[in-house]
Amino acid sequence: MRDPRGFATKFYTEQGNYDIVGNNLPVFFIRDAIKFPDMVHAFKPSPIYNKQDPNRVFDFFSHIPEGTHMLTRVYSDFGIPANYRQMDGSSVHAFKWVNEAGEVSYVKYTWKTNQGVKNLTADEAAKVQAQDFQHATVDLYDNIKKGNFPSWDLFVQILKPEDLDKFDFNPLDVTKVWPESIAPLTKVGKMTLNRVPDNFFEEVEQSAFAPANLVPGIEPSEDKLLQGRLFSYTDTQRHRIGGNFQQLPINAPKAAVNTYNQDGAFSNRHKTSDVNYQPSVAADALTDNAQYKYSVSKFTNVTTVQQKITKPNDFKQAGDFYRSLSETDKASLIKNLSGDLAAVKNKDVARKMVGYFYLADADYGTRLAKALNFSREEVEALFRK
Ligand code: HEM
């Protein structure tokens, strides 16, 4: 499948679980959570004829210029990683690190594979898939099983709050990367996958990752997509797995859970105290608050608002990425993208898309227009309307 691959990690820390629920690609299709259901509907099979269809996908994206960067990455060969071992991972969003003094740093995470990045061209993928449609899972399982443990180095990029407004894009916009020229990568750790699950259902199917699983000192940023993700995952998991899914061994923190809440469906906490609230005259219930360190992060130049962001700069980084590709990779991208755009029946929808890619990079747009037999005038006319 040409699609982003999930890259979710759970840290069982001494202060509870911290999840980084990311993807292999470092940006996303939309920047506002409110459009996520619409985006998913456009990607999913038609409600009438039950088939995924580029007509539906590009109808949606012809109205969403911010998707240009992510679509360029997805339609490049990075859209089909050769397997799960040979791809990088990214938090995509920025988070906030808050130190003891209450000082805030914005941070993005990148996982870099130590196996080397490897992607498949569409033709290679067709051959591999024809042999075994589960090849990526088999590759990961077999390599770990035989002791060839894959590993990733974890890097962070850091920006200070006072620097957020210094760029020609908004660093909390999820359709943007932070170029290393403005935020260098610093290595902070390494992850090695050194065992396979004993029981796939218990340890994978029932596992629940959520961007809201945070520990003190780490907070969500004001990124508008992340704000929506904060509640969506736990909502889904209560429905998908059931109430108290956090008590399942794979999801439960290794650290003690100090809460006076109890019961509910599937609860197995076996509380015996009459005090299921806090504060209380009960000695431990009075002292608990003192142990929890609330972080107080102040921000002055960013706010959580419903209106659109300033500095959308929808096309520049898409162009930067296009120009960073080798000629072979560019040719693959043009072939993959023009192949799907050619299937779009409403030619003005396809032309609008070509216009967006043109705005990213003139060579990129020109080559797509040529592959699709569109004239420059036809494309330009749509942008004059
Ligand atoms: C507003 C935007 C988004 C919403 C509302 C959303 C919502 C969801 C939901 C409801 C699930 C299923 C959770 C479960 O059943 O356990 C899910 C899974 C997932 N999402 Fe998102 N998502 C969004 C954007 C993203 C982005 C930007 C990324 C990557 C940075 C991402 C990465 C993932 C991953 C990796 C999973 C699978 C987690 C697992 O392995 O269990 N999502 N998403």
Side-chain angles (χ1 to χ4, degrees):
M1 286 288 278
R2 179 172 304 288
D3 214 10
R5 305 301 194 261
F7 200 117
T9 41
K10 189 182 288 295
F11 297 83
Y12 297 96
T13 85
E14 288 163 11
Q15 291 177 290
N17 289 354
Y18 174 43
D19 296 351
I20 304 179
V21 195
N23 276 340
N24 64 325
L25 302 176
V27 289
F28 203 60
F29 298 99
I30 48 168
R31 63 166 68 98
D32 192 331
I34 206 149
K35 295 312 291 174
F36 187 78
D38 294 291
M39 185 204 81
V40 172
H41 292 168
F43 275 124
K44 290 272 178 187
S46 148
I48 305 292
Y49 49 91
N50 195 30
K51 184 187 170 305
Q52 286 182 306
D53 187 342
N55 282 288
R56 296 163 47 75
V57 174
F58 289 116
D59 179 21
F60 176 78
F61 279 108
S62 63
H63 304 279
I64 308 281
E66 77 219 38
T68 307
H69 187 183
M70 180 65 163
L71 287 175
T72 301
R73 289 182 182 259
V74 169
Y75 274 94
S76 78
D77 289 342
F78 284 88
I80 311 183
N83 53 62
Y84 298 129
R85 289 178 308 119
Q86 294 182 285
M87 61 182 205
D88 290 341
S90 169
S91 63
V92 182
H93 304 282
F95 289 83
K96 295 203 282 198
W97 278 357
V98 189
N99 68 13
E100 283 219 292
E103 292 159 344
V104 175
S105 302
Y106 285 87
V107 58
K108 272 200 184 202
Y109 303 95
T110 302
W111 296 97
K112 285 204 177 270
T113 172
N114 289 318
Q115 290 64 246
V117 171
K118 190 173 173 216
N119 302 318
L120 298 178
T121 63
D123 290 344
E124 285 166 345
K127 286 198 192 101
V128 174
Q129 286 278 304
Q131 291 291 319
D132 182 359
F133 72 94
Q134 300 168 105
H135 70 97
T137 302
V138 171
D139 170 88
L140 185 63
Y141 187 90
D142 285 355
N143 274 286
I144 298 174
K145 197 79 183 159
K146 69 179 181 220
N148 185 24
F149 300 143
S151 66
W152 285 260
D153 288 331
L154 179 61
F155 293 84
V156 292
Q157 289 179 288
I158 290 180
L159 286 179
K160 289 282 169 205
E162 57 269 27
D163 292 335
L164 287 190
D165 214 16
K166 289 190 177 155
F167 313 107
D168 63 359
F169 66 96
N170 181 334
L172 305 182
D173 170 2
V174 81
T175 69
K176 303 296 186 296
V177 291
W178 292 358
E180 285 178 50
S181 53
I182 64 162
L185 291 166
T186 306
K187 185 176 158 180
V188 291
K190 180 178 179 179
M191 167 173 74
T192 304
L193 298 187
N194 60 3
R195 82 170 178 89
V196 292
D198 300 323
N199 178 315
F200 184 83
F201 187 79
E202 281 180 11
E203 294 193 304
V204 180
E205 191 65 35
Q206 291 199 114
S207 65
F209 295 80
N213 288 347
L214 301 163
V215 289
I218 305 182
E219 298 181 3
S221 71
E222 298 76 14
D223 174 331
K224 293 162 77 74
L225 198 86
L226 177 58
Q227 290 293 323
R229 293 182 73 202
L230 291 177
F231 65 83
S232 165
Y233 287 65
T234 356
D235 267 5
T236 303
Q237 286 154 0
R238 269 185 228 107
H239 174 73
R240 175 172 72 84
I241 313 172
N244 283 307
F245 65 91
Q246 284 123 324
Q247 291 183 31
L248 290 171
I250 194 67
N251 298 324
K254 307 294 176 203
V257 177
N258 297 312
T259 175
Y260 289 86
N261 285 315
Q262 63 184 62
D263 303 335
F266 306 123
S267 179
N268 196 29
R269 214 176 262 146
H270 194 60
K271 288 274 200 168
T272 51
S273 167
D274 176 50
V275 182
N276 58 357
Y277 49 86
Q278 194 272 341
S280 149
V281 288
D284 60 343
L286 271 180
T287 54
D288 258 0
N289 267 356
Q291 287 171 26
Y292 184 82
K293 204 167 175 345
Y294 292 94
S295 60
V296 187
S297 64
K298 298 185 188 117
F299 46 85
T300 47
N301 57 348
V302 282
T303 42
T304 310
V305 291
Q306 214 175 8
Q307 78 222 32
K308 291 187 176 179
I309 63 163
T310 54
K311 293 197 275 190
N313 206 342
D314 289 328
F315 307 111
K316 181 170 176 283
Q317 288 200 359
D320 292 342
F321 175 73
Y322 175 80
R323 289 183 290 277
S324 77
L325 295 174
S326 68
E327 182 42 45
T328 317
D329 287 345
K330 281 181 187 161
S332 247
L333 167 63
I334 302 293
K335 188 174 161 200
N336 299 334
L337 194 46
S338 61
D340 269 11
L341 284 172
V344 175
K345 292 189 196 101
N346 183 331
K347 294 301 164 197
D348 276 353
V349 165
R351 286 185 191 107
K352 192 90 196 229
M353 293 304 308
V354 169
Y356 292 154
F357 297 118
Y358 187 90
L359 289 169
D361 182 278
D363 175 64
Y364 183 16
T366 306
R367 286 169 76 169
L368 281 172
K370 192 167 169 230
L372 291 158
N373 266 328
F374 293 155
S375 73
R376 190 188 163 117
E377 293 69 37
E378 286 170 331
V379 172
E380 272 182 358
L382 290 171
F383 285 79
R384 267 189 241 111
K385 273 184 189 167

mmCIF file of all heavy atoms in Angstrom, residues 54-76:
data_model
loop_
_atom_site.group_PDB
_atom_site.id
_atom_site.type_symbol
_atom_site.label_atom_id
_atom_site.label_comp_id
_atom_site.label_asym_id
_atom_site.label_seq_id
_atom_site.Cartn_x
_atom_site.Cartn_y
_atom_site.Cartn_z
ATOM 1 N N PRO A 54 -9.092 7.324 -6.516
ATOM 2 C CA PRO A 54 -8.390 8.612 -6.616
ATOM 3 C C PRO A 54 -9.328 9.777 -6.914
ATOM 4 O O PRO A 54 -9.019 10.925 -6.583
ATOM 5 C CB PRO A 54 -7.406 8.415 -7.771
ATOM 6 C CG PRO A 54 -7.489 7.000 -8.201
ATOM 7 C CD PRO A 54 -8.591 6.321 -7.446
ATOM 8 N N ASN A 55 -10.499 9.515 -7.529
ATOM 9 C CA ASN A 55 -11.450 10.598 -7.786
ATOM 10 C C ASN A 55 -11.884 11.256 -6.476
ATOM 11 O O ASN A 55 -12.012 12.473 -6.390
ATOM 12 C CB ASN A 55 -12.699 10.060 -8.498
ATOM 13 C CG ASN A 55 -12.424 9.822 -9.965
ATOM 14 O OD1 ASN A 55 -12.285 10.756 -10.739
ATOM 15 N ND2 ASN A 55 -12.301 8.550 -10.330
ATOM 16 N N ARG A 56 -12.117 10.421 -5.473
ATOM 17 C CA ARG A 56 -12.563 10.925 -4.165
ATOM 18 C C ARG A 56 -11.394 11.602 -3.435
ATOM 19 O O ARG A 56 -11.542 12.685 -2.869
ATOM 20 C CB ARG A 56 -13.144 9.769 -3.338
ATOM 21 C CG ARG A 56 -14.405 9.161 -3.956
ATOM 22 C CD ARG A 56 -14.737 7.778 -3.395
ATOM 23 N NE ARG A 56 -14.666 7.708 -1.949
ATOM 24 C CZ ARG A 56 -15.557 8.209 -1.095
ATOM 25 N NH1 ARG A 56 -16.649 8.790 -1.583
ATOM 26 N NH2 ARG A 56 -15.405 8.121 0.201
ATOM 27 N N VAL A 57 -10.219 10.967 -3.486
ATOM 28 C CA VAL A 57 -9.045 11.501 -2.783
ATOM 29 C C VAL A 57 -8.698 12.893 -3.327
ATOM 30 O O VAL A 57 -8.545 13.859 -2.574
ATOM 31 C CB VAL A 57 -7.838 10.547 -2.950
ATOM 32 C CG1 VAL A 57 -6.574 11.170 -2.359
ATOM 33 C CG2 VAL A 57 -8.133 9.192 -2.315
ATOM 34 N N PHE A 58 -8.593 12.999 -4.652
ATOM 35 C CA PHE A 58 -8.140 14.278 -5.222
ATOM 36 C C PHE A 58 -9.249 15.325 -5.256
ATOM 37 O O PHE A 58 -8.961 16.526 -5.267
ATOM 38 C CB PHE A 58 -7.496 14.056 -6.592
ATOM 39 C CG PHE A 58 -6.162 13.362 -6.476
ATOM 40 C CD1 PHE A 58 -5.955 12.090 -7.005
ATOM 41 C CD2 PHE A 58 -5.109 13.971 -5.798
ATOM 42 C CE1 PHE A 58 -4.729 11.451 -6.871
ATOM 43 C CE2 PHE A 58 -3.886 13.339 -5.658
ATOM 44 C CZ PHE A 58 -3.689 12.076 -6.197
ATOM 45 N N ASP A 59 -10.511 14.890 -5.262
ATOM 46 C CA ASP A 59 -11.600 15.856 -5.107
ATOM 47 C C ASP A 59 -11.390 16.591 -3.785
ATOM 48 O O ASP A 59 -11.428 17.824 -3.715
ATOM 49 C CB ASP A 59 -12.949 15.108 -5.111
ATOM 50 C CG ASP A 59 -14.124 16.050 -4.926
ATOM 51 O OD1 ASP A 59 -13.967 17.257 -5.189
ATOM 52 O OD2 ASP A 59 -15.212 15.579 -4.497
ATOM 53 N N PHE A 60 -11.102 15.822 -2.712
ATOM 54 C CA PHE A 60 -10.860 16.423 -1.393
ATOM 55 C C PHE A 60 -9.609 17.312 -1.424
ATOM 56 O O PHE A 60 -9.658 18.491 -1.075
ATOM 57 C CB PHE A 60 -10.721 15.301 -0.353
ATOM 58 C CG PHE A 60 -10.384 15.791 1.033
ATOM 59 C CD1 PHE A 60 -11.353 16.351 1.856
ATOM 60 C CD2 PHE A 60 -9.084 15.677 1.522
ATOM 61 C CE1 PHE A 60 -11.033 16.800 3.135
ATOM 62 C CE2 PHE A 60 -8.761 16.133 2.804
ATOM 63 C CZ PHE A 60 -9.741 16.694 3.610
ATOM 64 N N PHE A 61 -8.495 16.747 -1.892
ATOM 65 C CA PHE A 61 -7.226 17.486 -1.790
ATOM 66 C C PHE A 61 -7.128 18.666 -2.755
ATOM 67 O O PHE A 61 -6.300 19.554 -2.543
ATOM 68 C CB PHE A 61 -6.033 16.543 -1.936
ATOM 69 C CG PHE A 61 -5.734 15.821 -0.654
ATOM 70 C CD1 PHE A 61 -6.018 14.466 -0.508
ATOM 71 C CD2 PHE A 61 -5.217 16.505 0.429
ATOM 72 C CE1 PHE A 61 -5.769 13.809 0.695
ATOM 73 C CE2 PHE A 61 -4.967 15.873 1.636
ATOM 74 C CZ PHE A 61 -5.241 14.515 1.766
ATOM 75 N N SER A 62 -7.970 18.714 -3.774
ATOM 76 C CA SER A 62 -7.929 19.891 -4.656
ATOM 77 C C SER A 62 -8.418 21.133 -3.908
ATOM 78 O O SER A 62 -8.234 22.256 -4.365
ATOM 79 C CB SER A 62 -8.756 19.651 -5.930
ATOM 80 O OG SER A 62 -10.109 19.452 -5.597
ATOM 81 N N HIS A 63 -9.056 20.903 -2.728
ATOM 82 C CA HIS A 63 -9.474 22.038 -1.885
ATOM 83 C C HIS A 63 -8.531 22.239 -0.696
ATOM 84 O O HIS A 63 -8.775 23.088 0.153
ATOM 85 C CB HIS A 63 -10.888 21.796 -1.339
ATOM 86 C CG HIS A 63 -11.903 21.542 -2.411
ATOM 87 N ND1 HIS A 63 -12.487 22.544 -3.133
ATOM 88 C CD2 HIS A 63 -12.402 20.381 -2.900
ATOM 89 C CE1 HIS A 63 -13.321 22.015 -4.019
ATOM 90 N NE2 HIS A 63 -13.286 20.707 -3.894
ATOM 91 N N ILE A 64 -7.496 21.398 -0.590
ATOM 92 C CA ILE A 64 -6.634 21.398 0.603
ATOM 93 C C ILE A 64 -5.169 21.585 0.166
ATOM 94 O O ILE A 64 -4.394 20.622 0.116
ATOM 95 C CB ILE A 64 -6.781 20.050 1.383
ATOM 96 C CG1 ILE A 64 -8.241 19.709 1.672
ATOM 97 C CG2 ILE A 64 -5.950 20.042 2.670
ATOM 98 C CD1 ILE A 64 -8.856 20.476 2.849
ATOM 99 N N PRO A 65 -4.783 22.827 -0.169
ATOM 100 C CA PRO A 65 -3.407 23.028 -0.653
ATOM 101 C C PRO A 65 -2.332 22.622 0.354
ATOM 102 O O PRO A 65 -1.233 22.262 -0.035
ATOM 103 C CB PRO A 65 -3.346 24.540 -0.945
ATOM 104 C CG PRO A 65 -4.537 25.138 -0.293
ATOM 105 C CD PRO A 65 -5.575 24.077 -0.190
ATOM 106 N N GLU A 66 -2.673 22.623 1.653
ATOM 107 C CA GLU A 66 -1.670 22.262 2.671
ATOM 108 C C GLU A 66 -1.227 20.802 2.550
ATOM 109 O O GLU A 66 -0.209 20.398 3.111
ATOM 110 C CB GLU A 66 -2.219 22.521 4.084
ATOM 111 C CG GLU A 66 -3.217 21.476 4.595
ATOM 112 C CD GLU A 66 -4.373 22.079 5.397
ATOM 113 O OE1 GLU A 66 -4.856 23.169 5.026
ATOM 114 O OE2 GLU A 66 -4.808 21.447 6.372
ATOM 115 N N GLY A 67 -1.994 19.990 1.803
ATOM 116 C CA GLY A 67 -1.644 18.573 1.630
ATOM 117 C C GLY A 67 -0.490 18.354 0.651
ATOM 118 O O GLY A 67 0.033 17.236 0.538
ATOM 119 N N THR A 68 -0.078 19.425 -0.062
ATOM 120 C CA THR A 68 0.916 19.282 -1.137
ATOM 121 C C THR A 68 2.227 18.632 -0.660
ATOM 122 O O THR A 68 2.781 17.770 -1.331
ATOM 123 C CB THR A 68 1.204 20.673 -1.756
ATOM 124 O OG1 THR A 68 -0.048 21.252 -2.131
ATOM 125 C CG2 THR A 68 2.096 20.570 -2.981
ATOM 126 N N HIS A 69 2.701 19.019 0.515
ATOM 127 C CA HIS A 69 3.973 18.480 1.020
ATOM 128 C C HIS A 69 3.832 16.975 1.304
ATOM 129 O O HIS A 69 4.627 16.160 0.816
ATOM 130 C CB HIS A 69 4.370 19.249 2.292
ATOM 131 C CG HIS A 69 5.734 18.914 2.808
ATOM 132 N ND1 HIS A 69 6.239 19.445 3.958
ATOM 133 C CD2 HIS A 69 6.693 18.072 2.350
ATOM 134 C CE1 HIS A 69 7.464 18.981 4.185
ATOM 135 N NE2 HIS A 69 7.752 18.135 3.217
ATOM 136 N N MET A 70 2.805 16.613 2.076
ATOM 137 C CA MET A 70 2.637 15.192 2.443
ATOM 138 C C MET A 70 2.365 14.338 1.198
ATOM 139 O O MET A 70 2.918 13.244 1.048
ATOM 140 C CB MET A 70 1.487 15.062 3.447
ATOM 141 C CG MET A 70 1.219 13.633 3.895
ATOM 142 S SD MET A 70 2.618 12.930 4.823
ATOM 143 C CE MET A 70 1.802 11.538 5.622
ATOM 144 N N LEU A 71 1.510 14.834 0.274
ATOM 145 C CA LEU A 71 1.206 14.048 -0.939
ATOM 146 C C LEU A 71 2.481 13.815 -1.742
ATOM 147 O O LEU A 71 2.682 12.737 -2.312
ATOM 148 C CB LEU A 71 0.157 14.762 -1.793
ATOM 149 C CG LEU A 71 -1.270 14.732 -1.245
ATOM 150 C CD1 LEU A 71 -2.198 15.590 -2.113
ATOM 151 C CD2 LEU A 71 -1.819 13.306 -1.160
ATOM 152 N N THR A 72 3.366 14.821 -1.773
ATOM 153 C CA THR A 72 4.621 14.659 -2.515
ATOM 154 C C THR A 72 5.452 13.538 -1.895
ATOM 155 O O THR A 72 6.036 12.716 -2.603
ATOM 156 C CB THR A 72 5.389 15.996 -2.524
ATOM 157 O OG1 THR A 72 4.562 16.982 -3.141
ATOM 158 C CG2 THR A 72 6.700 15.897 -3.279
ATOM 159 N N ARG A 73 5.489 13.486 -0.579
ATOM 160 C CA ARG A 73 6.248 12.413 0.084
ATOM 161 C C ARG A 73 5.580 11.056 -0.118
ATOM 162 O O ARG A 73 6.246 10.060 -0.400
ATOM 163 C CB ARG A 73 6.406 12.720 1.579
ATOM 164 C CG ARG A 73 7.380 13.878 1.830
ATOM 165 C CD ARG A 73 7.561 14.144 3.313
ATOM 166 N NE ARG A 73 8.448 15.281 3.522
ATOM 167 C CZ ARG A 73 9.744 15.207 3.851
ATOM 168 N NH1 ARG A 73 10.324 14.042 4.034
ATOM 169 N NH2 ARG A 73 10.463 16.309 4.033
ATOM 170 N N VAL A 74 4.250 11.024 0.011
ATOM 171 C CA VAL A 74 3.539 9.735 -0.106
ATOM 172 C C VAL A 74 3.661 9.171 -1.526
ATOM 173 O O VAL A 74 3.793 7.960 -1.713
ATOM 174 C CB VAL A 74 2.055 9.907 0.296
ATOM 175 C CG1 VAL A 74 1.233 8.676 -0.068
ATOM 176 C CG2 VAL A 74 1.934 10.153 1.797
ATOM 177 N N TYR A 75 3.619 10.052 -2.530
ATOM 178 C CA TYR A 75 3.717 9.573 -3.922
ATOM 179 C C TYR A 75 5.162 9.360 -4.377
ATOM 180 O O TYR A 75 5.407 8.820 -5.448
ATOM 181 C CB TYR A 75 2.965 10.504 -4.873
ATOM 182 C CG TYR A 75 1.501 10.117 -4.954
ATOM 183 C CD1 TYR A 75 0.550 10.722 -4.149
ATOM 184 C CD2 TYR A 75 1.087 9.082 -5.801
ATOM 185 C CE1 TYR A 75 -0.785 10.333 -4.192
ATOM 186 C CE2 TYR A 75 -0.234 8.686 -5.851
ATOM 187 C CZ TYR A 75 -1.172 9.312 -5.048
ATOM 188 O OH TYR A 75 -2.479 8.901 -5.095
ATOM 189 N N SER A 76 6.115 9.756 -3.539
ATOM 190 C CA SER A 76 7.505 9.372 -3.838
ATOM 191 C C SER A 76 7.664 7.920 -3.377
ATOM 192 O O SER A 76 6.748 7.342 -2.768
ATOM 193 C CB SER A 76 8.485 10.281 -3.086
ATOM 194 O OG SER A 76 8.576 9.880 -1.721
#
